[in-house]
Amino acid sequence: VQLVESGGGLVQAGGSLRLSCAASGRTFSTYGMGWFRQAPGKEREFVAGITWNGARTYYADSVKGRFTISRDNAKNTVYLQMNSLKPEDTAVYYCAVANGATYYLTSSGYDYWGQGTQVTVFS
């Protein structure tokens, strides 16, 4: 089982990035997925979650209206579109597979994690 994030990078404040998380080793089409992030010196925090079929999504207040989570089960991939980026969005972003069909707001609800991708937003 492997999750590989991509799409991170360096971007100016107000810009956009699209993160991808490709899963391999098994199909995750029946599991919820989540994105988390961890900034230096801070704990890992929930960013966005999506149910197995994409019918429901949930966002942290800090990213609501700016980030969009989506998934393509045929490609075993989940995405995080990030718009209007702010310096405080700077962090390592991780995708994770939930241990059920929905998403969870804490990391304990996830069984598999990617290695993370760095997002740096400068002003």
Side-chain angles (χ1 to χ4, degrees), residues 1 9 14 17 20 26 35 50 56 79 89 96 100 122:
V1 175
L17 285 174
S20 298
R26 60 174 290 184
W35 283 97
I50 188 167
R56 288 189 292 118
Y79 305 96
D89 294 318
F122 64 94

Side-chain angles (χ1 to χ4, degrees), residues 64-75:
K64 199 172 297 181
R66 300 187 297 123
F67 291 11
T68 303
I69 187 172
S70 61
R71 65 189 299 163
D72 184 340
N73 285 342
K75 297 182 178 180

Side-chain angles (χ1 to χ4, degrees), residues 37-113:
R37 67 186 181 186
Q38 187 167 18
K42 296 188 177 181
E43 294 188 353
R44 189 172 298 188
E45 64 175 359
F46 173 85
V47 175
I50 188 167
T51 54
W52 69 278
N53 59 357
R56 288 189 292 118
T57 58
Y58 190 84
Y59 300 91
D61 287 344
S62 58
V63 307
K64 199 172 297 181
R66 300 187 297 123
F67 291 11
T68 303
I69 187 172
S70 61
R71 65 189 299 163
D72 184 340
N73 285 342
K75 297 182 178 180
N76 233 14
T77 301
V78 65
Y79 305 96
L80 186 68
Q81 178 66 44
M82 306 186 295
N83 298 329
S84 303
L85 282 161
K86 305 175 181 180
E88 50 263 44
D89 294 318
T90 295
V92 177
Y93 284 71
Y94 300 89
C95 68
V97 180
N99 55 29
T102 188
Y103 50 82
Y104 301 94
L105 304 189
T106 61
S107 58
S108 61
Y110 296 82
D111 288 335
Y112 301 102
W113 294 82

